[in-house]
Structures are given as structure tokens and as C-alpha cells.
Amino acid sequence: MKTAVLRQTFLEYFRQRGHEIVPSSSLVPHDDPTLLFTNAGMNQFKDVFLGREKRDYTRATSSQRCVRAGGKHNDLENVGYTARHHTFFEMLGNFSFGDYFKKEAIEFAWTFLTGDEWLGLPKEKLLVTVYASDDEAYDLWHNGMGVPADRIIRIGDNKGEPYASDNFWQMGDTGPCGPCTEIFYDHGPEIAGGPPGSPDEDGDRFIEIWNVVFMQFNRTADGEMQPLPKPSVDTGMGLERISAVLQGVHSNYEIDLFQDLLKAASDLLGGADTEEASLRVVADHIRSCAFLIADGVMPSNEGRGFVLRRIIRRAARHGNKLGAREPFFYKLTAALVDLMGEAYPELVRTQAQIEKVLLQEEEQFARTLDKGLRLLEQDIAELKGSQIPGETIFTLYDTYGFPVDLTNDIARERGLTLDYDGYKKAMEAQRERARAASKFGVDYNVTAGLGGSTEFTGYEKIDGHETIR
Ligand code: ATP
Ligand code: MG
Ligand code: MG
Ligand code: MG
């Protein structure tokens, strides 16, 4: 089944079960400064769940465009390394606003996945998790759907703190929250990775395809869990992941849509192998960049625009690694429009603008990319130990416009790490110099570098360190 057909099949399945088909909202969250980019189907329904907003339906379904390249969910560092993570993906979802609850939610999901007239997946390839103390969900899976006990995994509060587990969802420190149940697909023993809850659960053998959240409690400021009068359901399934399952391939990058995109990227990059990690990064990044620009984000040195700039520069660097010596990334827009323009007409409408913005960014970065890479290579060649010095990271950032995550990306390929503390010190020293200079009325331009030194209070952490912006 083609990805485009699968998207429609999902929506149609839930439409037949009384759900309103709601279009995807923008990647730029409407009226929510706490959220960097739309990262889940439920975002646009947040106020409906909280009872602050009424709609004329109590069941909805959508295919939501999402970006996870910053903020709470940041998968940027996973792209090119796992089979299942993208910066941009589509989340299929069904939602109950105080309408149905656990029983129907579980039945709906199971019938869609395993029903003969729907996806018809083999049941023995599926595994489910429930929240450790959620006996109700366990019973619905076991006795209701007939899932054998050895394929139901209870996941508890693994971090030792109450409600910190992966399987207990909460919108924030207070507010609606509740247990999850997840459905995993087993891609087979030849792939490394353990079942959910095991020490090597981050491998790619058992891939989480669907996450179902039961919004059941309201958590008050003093930690009390009050049952919600009308519990709700929020679900999310990655379109690319379920597509991979149906197309009998392991990696998201092997599905029809990505194969076409990779082929187009390969043609632009002198025939690079479509299994090459760098080519996958490029194919992934064109989707987030194009959709972000279509939704009105512009590259800049702060906030959302800086995340976009970082993704574009990362794509440019991976293209460079594959031999590109002139702008190529913007040319991939046409292929993406061919593949996704029907589902997302805004992409067609904004194609010229997307190409223009990408080309401009590529041209600007091209002026310093080579020099920066040479500087870094030289430093690496002279390196004692396995840590890239803070001064180098800072110079790359300030003079050559290398966002820190880009330098980290290169370091990681060589098994090296970054001296973040040294980097922060170098940044601080720069600021001191600027302050001193301005005191004496000297015209000292702190934002001279392409990366710009303008700091924004960021969303980002890499390896537990704030990255700077
Ligand atoms: P994982 O544990 O694999 O990182 P997640 O638990 O972070 O996934 P959720 O927040 O539960 O993901 O999102 C709901 C669904 O969206 C997931 O079950 C998965 O199918 C899909 N999904 C999540 N993140 C990504 C991503 N970066 N790229 C593609 N699909 C994703
Ligand atoms: Mg995740
Ligand atoms: Mg997960
Ligand atoms: Mg999940």
C-alpha cells in the first residue's frame, strides 16, 4: 500500500466510526509560545481537551504534519542514525473529547491494524505495552482482544519518580494526564534491539508504531490526581513507520515516498548511494525545511528561524560530504512537491518561495562552509585526545556560521566529542570584549559572523549541555 493511500485509509476508517476529519494545522503552533513547532496531532486540540474550547464534534481524526527538531521532543540527532526518526513526519491520530474511552480506543486501533478488511497485519508480530498499574487496559488487551500475556508488557515509573515513565503522559507539571498503551511491531531477530522496557529498547527491532494516551486525571499543583469527569483519548501513529511495516521494509527510508525522494537527491548529488546516511539526512531535511518555509518560518539567528537555519546548514554540509560544490538542496523542492503536493497544496503554492529561501541560505553558507571545514579538519588532525576544543567550536560558529549541532554532527562521525564548557567560556570572553569595546565607544560588531553571536534563550540541549544559538 502506497503511503498516500495509507493516509487516506486511516482517515476513512475513523470517519466511518463517527470521527470528523480535521485538516492538519500549521507547523507554527497557533497562539502557543511554549511550543517550538507542532510536534503531535493533539496540539491543535489542546484547548478542547482542557475544556476551554467547544467543537461541534466529540470525535476527530487527522494526519498532522509534525517537526521534532528542537524543544521537548528533539529527534534531529537521531536522523541518519535510526531507521525510525525524522525531523518532519506525519502523525495519524484519532481523538475522543470526553466521548469514548479505553475499550473503544483499544478496539479501534487493533481492528485497524489487524482486521482483514483493513491493514490485516499478523497479530504475532505485534506487541503492546500498558502502564504498570493499568489493569483495565491490560484486561482489555488480554481478554478483550486476545493478545497473549507474553506479548503485553507492563511499563512502570522507570526513573524512580512518580509519573516520570514513558508510559504515563502529562501535558505539563499540572493538568490533564494519564496512562498510555503503545503498540510495537517486531521487525525480526536479525535486527538489533530489545523489547520495550528492556535495556536495549532503543534499538530498531521493536518499533513503536502507535501511542494511545488515556487522559484520565487532572494533576493539581499539590500533586493530587483527580479523576476527570469526562476522560478523553489522544492517539498518534507515525505514517512513515506504519507504511514501512505495510511495505515489508524495515526502515522508514525504504518506503515509496522516501525512495523517490532519495532517488531525486541522488540524481542531484552525482549518483550517491541511496543507503548512504548523508543522503538520508538530506532527504529527511528537505521535508522539514520546505514545510517550515511553507508555514511561514524564515531562516534567522533566533528562535524558530534559527532551528530552520541549522537544518538547512546541516543538509548543505551532508551534501558537501557527498561531493556537492554548489547549491543543490533547493532543487530537491520540486521532487518533494511532486510527491506531497497533492496532500499538501500549500507546498505547491509556496514552491517558488521555498526554492528562493533555500538557495539564498545555501549561497550564503557556501561562502564559509569550505573554510570552516578546513579549519576543523586541521584541528582534528592536530588533536590530542578526543575532544574538540571550545575555541574551535566558537570560531566555527562565530566566523564560519557553523551551528554547534553541525560541528557536533561532524565530531560524532569521527567518534569525537565537544568541549561545551570551553565553548561557553569563549562565548563569554567574546561578550566581555564587546562590552569593554562599547564602553569606549569603539564600533565593535558582535554579530559580524555569519552565525551571529546574538544569543536566544534556547530550546536546545545536546548531551545535557545547552547549545548556543
Ligand atoms: P520513539 O519512542 O520511537 O522516539 P515517541 O514515543 O517519541 O517515539 P510519540 O511522541 O509517542 O513518539 O509519537 C507518536 C507516534 O509518532 C510514535 O508512536 C511514532 O509512530 C511517531 N513518531 C514519533 N517521533 C517520530 C519521528 N521523529 N519520526 C517519525 N515518526 C515519529
Ligand atoms: Mg521519541
Ligand atoms: Mg516512545
Ligand atoms: Mg510514544
Side-chain angles (χ1 to χ4, degrees), residues 19-20 22 25 32 35 39-62 64 91-102 105 169-172 174-179 210-219 226-236:
H19 293 64
E20 175 88 8
V22 180
S25 62
D32 189 350
L35 191 61
N39 61 18
M42 63 83 58
N43 292 166
Q44 68 164 320
F45 301 114
K46 190 169 153 181
D47 284 344
V48 188
F49 282 120
L50 290 169
R52 288 186 196 140
E53 191 190 325
K54 281 266 169 296
R55 303 263 170 120
D56 50 14
Y57 46 82
T58 54
R59 298 176 176 203
T61 182
S62 67
Q64 175 67 51
M91 197 186 283
L92 303 168
N94 58 290
F95 309 92
S96 154
F97 310 116
D99 186 321
Y100 60 84
F101 200 42
K102 291 185 189 180
W169 178 89
Q170 48 196 352
M171 200 176 289
T174 60
C177 57
W210 207 338
N211 199 329
V212 176
V213 179
F214 304 123
M215 278 184 219
Q216 195 170 358
F217 304 106
N218 177 37
R219 192 168 195 211
Q226 302 168 330
L228 289 174
K230 280 190 168 182
S232 292
V233 174
D234 153 33
T235 90

Side-chain angles (χ1 to χ4, degrees), residues 68 75 84-86 89 91 208-211 236 238 241:
R68 294 189 173 184
D75 287 329
R84 67 186 199 276
H85 289 107
H86 300 299
F89 66 99
M91 197 186 283
E208 176 188 326
I209 51 176
W210 207 338
N211 199 329
R241 292 190 190 181

